[in-house]
Amino acid sequence: MRIAAILEYDGSAFSGWQRQEQARSVQAAVEAALSKVADEPIHVTVAGRTDAGVHALAQALHFDTSAVRGEYSWVRGTNTHLPPDVALLWAAPVDEGFHARYSATGRHYHYIILNRPVRPTYLARRVTHEYRLLDVAPMQAAAKHLIGEHDFTSFRAVECQAKSPIRVLRGLEVQRHGEFVHIHAHANAFLHHMVRNLAGALMAIGAGEREPDWARQVLEARDRRAGGVTAAPDGLYLREIAYPDSFKLPRLSRDVGLW
């Protein structure tokens, strides 16, 4: 039986999604909890691996199991064995043709910047701090240069293992709400560090270091060295994974709740 599930987690204390020998990972915590409920080893496939410090509001995964459990038992039982910074929101049987990664049609990320002179306290690790005043108008103007299907080599990590740097950036919006600046990114898929590199470039433009047209120049360079600083993982949230309606996964996307 193939089971699909949706997770929420605070990535602050994790080395990232992927299992690692000497570091705490979300994958290891989730597989250990699911294995206890199933009473057999469980190995999961995730929609997209998140970096160290990155959070998820609705991360999707699937796994195959011979264990027969009700939807309530999967959720309630797994949460009993998960650490406080991870929660299983939903789980149910799906068609065997469903694949958490390859069936996805889109991914949504949300990046939050606390834009004030003083560093955060209770929001530390949940927002990125920028002490320089950011002007969102040139940031949004720059974002328009990046929308569409492009070679995003300049915005991916040097160690990115994706076979192709071509991605379709469907939306990139910058908004201010009081002391907070929000960046919403929507694409068919993202490269390693792509959202953080986009955010880093937009922040440089918002701070007046660069003009909006610089974003187009960086994109056309197809060289990571042209792209500037990689923004911190703090404040980055995987908000939603989109799938065809035929798979009947619930849409659990919601606002982060930080303004």
Side-chain angles (χ1 to χ4, degrees):
M1 182 180 298
R2 177 154 294 186
I3 304 293
I6 297 178
L7 286 172
E8 172 186 290
Y9 52 85
D10 178 346
S12 301
F14 288 100
S15 61
W17 166 266
Q18 191 170 10
R19 179 188 290 275
Q20 300 178 41
E21 291 296 330
Q22 303 297 328
R24 186 173 183 249
S25 71
V26 182
Q27 180 182 6
V30 171
E31 289 182 341
L34 288 170
S35 296
K36 290 180 180 178
V37 176
D39 197 26
E40 66 181 16
I42 296 293
H43 302 286
V44 304
T45 299
V46 72
R49 294 176 294 182
T50 49
D51 294 333
V54 176
H55 317 295
L57 303 180
Q59 172 72 279
L61 59 85
H62 80 260
F63 60 93
D64 296 325
T65 179
S66 60
V68 179
R69 306 284 186 272
E71 296 176 19
Y72 177 84
S73 297
W74 280 119
V75 174
R76 186 64 181 269
T78 303
N79 284 328
T80 299
H81 299 292
L82 283 171
D85 42 6
V86 186
L88 187 66
L89 302 177
W90 173 88
V94 288
D95 185 276
E96 290 185 0
F98 174 81
H99 192 285
R101 179 181 177 187
Y102 297 124
S103 298
T105 58
R107 293 157 174 84
H108 298 255
Y109 277 89
H110 189 172
Y111 194 74
I112 304 178
I113 306 159
L114 177 62
N115 188 207
R116 71 182 190 189
V118 181
R119 61 177 171 77
T121 54
Y122 63 93
L123 291 178
R125 305 300 300 274
R126 289 170 176 79
V127 298
T128 284
H129 175 234
E130 176 53 66
Y131 69 91
R132 300 170 298 178
L133 180 63
L134 298 177
D135 186 345
V136 299
M139 294 172 73
Q140 186 59 60
K144 293 180 180 179
H145 292 299
L146 305 172
I147 301 299
E149 183 175 347
H150 302 290
D151 180 329
F152 283 96
T153 295
S154 295
F155 293 97
R156 71 167 174 172
V158 174
E159 65 271 21
C160 179
Q161 298 178 358
K163 294 181 180 179
S164 171
I166 306 298
R167 294 293 185 269
V168 182
L169 188 60
R170 296 168 179 163
L172 186 61
E173 298 182 358
V174 185
Q175 302 171 338
R176 176 176 287 281
H177 297 280
E179 294 182 328
F180 297 95
V181 174
H182 297 251
I183 300 174
H184 297 270
H186 172 211
N188 64 330
F190 288 92
L191 300 162
H192 189 198
H193 284 178
M194 181 173 163
V195 179
R196 292 169 58 189
N197 290 331
L198 289 169
L202 293 178
M203 290 168 69
I205 292 168
E209 293 181 359
R210 301 282 188 170
E211 294 298 320
D213 191 58
W214 178 65
R216 178 186 57 78
Q217 297 171 16
V218 170
L219 181 69
E220 294 175 350
R222 299 180 182 179
D223 185 342
R224 176 64 201 123
R225 292 171 295 181
V229 176
T230 300
D234 306 324
L236 181 56
Y237 296 79
L238 172 57
R239 182 171 175 174
E240 180 186 6
I241 308 293
Y243 293 99
D245 293 339
S246 59
F247 289 119
K248 300 180 180 179
L249 268 69
R251 297 195 63 178
L252 299 182
S253 174
R254 58 203 185 282
D255 290 328
V256 178
L258 299 178
W259 300 98

